[in-house]
Amino acid sequence: MNALPFAYLIPIFLIALYLILKKKKVAIDPLTDVDKKILDDYVGYYHNLDSTDKLKFEQKVATFFSTVKIEAVGLEMTTLDELLIASSAVIPIFGFDDWQYKNLTSVLLYPDTFNKDFQFEGGERNIMGMVGTGYMNGQMILSRSALRHGFSKSAGKENMAIHEFVHLLDKSDGATDGIPENLMAHEYTLPWIKMMHEEMEKIEDNKSDINPYAITNQAEFFAVVSEYFFEKPELLKDKHPELYFQLSHIFAQQPAG
């Protein structure tokens, strides 16, 4: 008597499971040839990859587009803008097979710098990018002018968008503190903290070529030296070999070869 209702439940359960799994699948559109040309022209990191790694990079960019919403505020979004944002996200995680920014749902692109009230017109505006907290949690705001400058030849060791995505990686363990515990083996933690503070002292004494903004706190130090690591890896390896070594372990990649 009780077996018949149970038998009916099995196909219902299977249908429900199928619908849940189907809903979780997100369509990933591959990049077009035009997209790849833009990446090759504007993203030095991508340009320097071999063909196999370029394909991997393209797949990661496509996955980012399928999982994170990019929205324009006060401007008309271009394909270049979208690809630079996605590249900024992919570069720090390129060494990891399946990393996704679970703490990010959307990226808002502003025309220019903005203030703490998220206004990008009038008044004092000096913020180029930020990772949202509180009611803005899960969102990132970037300035288009700073985004594009970061991928220009005049940017040197700096790339604001990469800086903000490194903050997200740092935050993934629950604390934005410059110690990315999800990305580094436990035995590297104390040496990393020691190295950070030693280098911060050198910056304070004008004995380092690292951007002085790095001495703000540990989180900013990590983000600033990560910009340096990805933008001028050969120079960082030459001037700060131990720092380069630590970052290569954290990000699981060797951009200087």
Side-chain angles (χ1 to χ4, degrees):
M1 291 287 293
N2 293 330
L4 189 60
F6 180 75
Y8 279 120
L9 288 175
I10 293 175
I12 294 172
F13 170 77
L14 292 175
I15 292 170
L17 183 63
Y18 168 77
L19 291 173
I20 290 170
L21 293 175
K22 184 180 180 183
K23 187 177 181 181
K24 285 186 176 179
K25 283 188 177 181
V26 179
I28 299 177
D29 297 323
L31 300 191
T32 66
D33 288 341
V34 172
D35 295 334
K36 296 172 189 177
K37 179 68 166 58
I38 291 173
L39 287 176
D40 206 46
D41 288 344
Y42 289 91
V43 182
Y45 183 99
Y46 171 87
H47 179 80
N48 294 328
L49 296 174
D50 61 29
S51 57
T52 301
D53 280 341
K54 280 185 176 179
L55 178 59
K56 177 182 172 184
F57 192 97
E58 292 156 14
Q59 291 169 340
K60 285 182 176 291
V61 166
T63 299
F64 181 81
F65 284 146
S66 71
T67 55
V68 177
K69 189 175 183 180
I70 301 176
E71 300 178 87
V73 179
L75 58 86
E76 186 174 336
M77 184 78 73
T78 68
T79 301
L80 172 62
D81 296 322
E82 293 175 329
L83 287 169
L84 293 184
I85 290 169
S87 295
S88 306
V90 168
I91 288 169
I93 63 168
F94 190 69
F96 314 130
D97 290 334
D98 300 310
W99 184 279
Q100 288 190 17
Y101 291 95
K102 295 179 180 178
N103 52 354
L104 181 69
T105 56
S106 63
V107 177
L108 306 179
L109 187 65
Y110 279 20
D112 209 331
T113 52
F114 51 95
N115 61 26
K116 59 183 177 60
D117 297 317
F118 313 117
Q119 302 298 313
F120 53 86
E121 291 180 349
E124 186 176 329
R125 297 175 289 110
N126 58 4
I127 303 175
M128 294 183 289
M130 67 176 292
V131 173
T133 57
Y135 75 93
M136 290 289 288
N137 196 45
Q139 297 188 62
M140 178 185 289
I141 304 175
L142 300 175
S143 153
R144 178 162 72 178
S145 59
L147 170 71
R148 292 189 176 187
H149 174 70
F151 285 93
S152 68
K153 291 181 180 178
S154 62
K157 311 164 195 164
E158 300 175 10
N159 186 305
M160 176 277 302
I162 289 177
H163 180 111
E164 296 304 324
F165 278 102
V166 169
H167 277 322
L168 271 187
L169 289 178
D170 187 8
K171 188 180 180 181
S172 67
D173 60 17
T176 311
D177 56 3
I179 308 166
E181 294 179 43
N182 286 347
L183 310 182
M184 62 195 307
H186 182 68
E187 62 266 24
Y188 288 110
T189 302
L190 287 178
W192 171 245
I193 294 172
K194 183 173 182 288
M195 183 179 296
M196 278 198 291
H197 287 278
E198 287 175 351
E199 194 60 44
M200 288 167 86
E201 287 179 12
K202 291 178 185 176
I203 297 170
E204 282 189 292
D205 294 336
N206 293 316
K207 295 178 180 177
S208 174
D209 67 331
I210 294 171
N211 187 329
Y213 189 64
I215 65 174
T216 304
N217 54 48
Q218 289 185 173
E220 296 302 344
F221 179 88
F222 177 46
V224 167
V225 297
S226 297
E227 293 178 70
Y228 195 160
F229 178 73
F230 290 114
E231 290 299 307
K232 295 291 180 182
E234 293 85 2
L235 185 62
L236 181 68
K237 188 176 183 180
D238 178 56
K239 288 184 172 291
H240 307 275
E242 292 184 8
L243 186 55
Y244 177 88
F245 175 78
Q246 286 278 15
L247 290 169
S248 67
H249 274 279
I250 290 171
F251 291 110
Q253 51 180 305
Q254 298 263 6

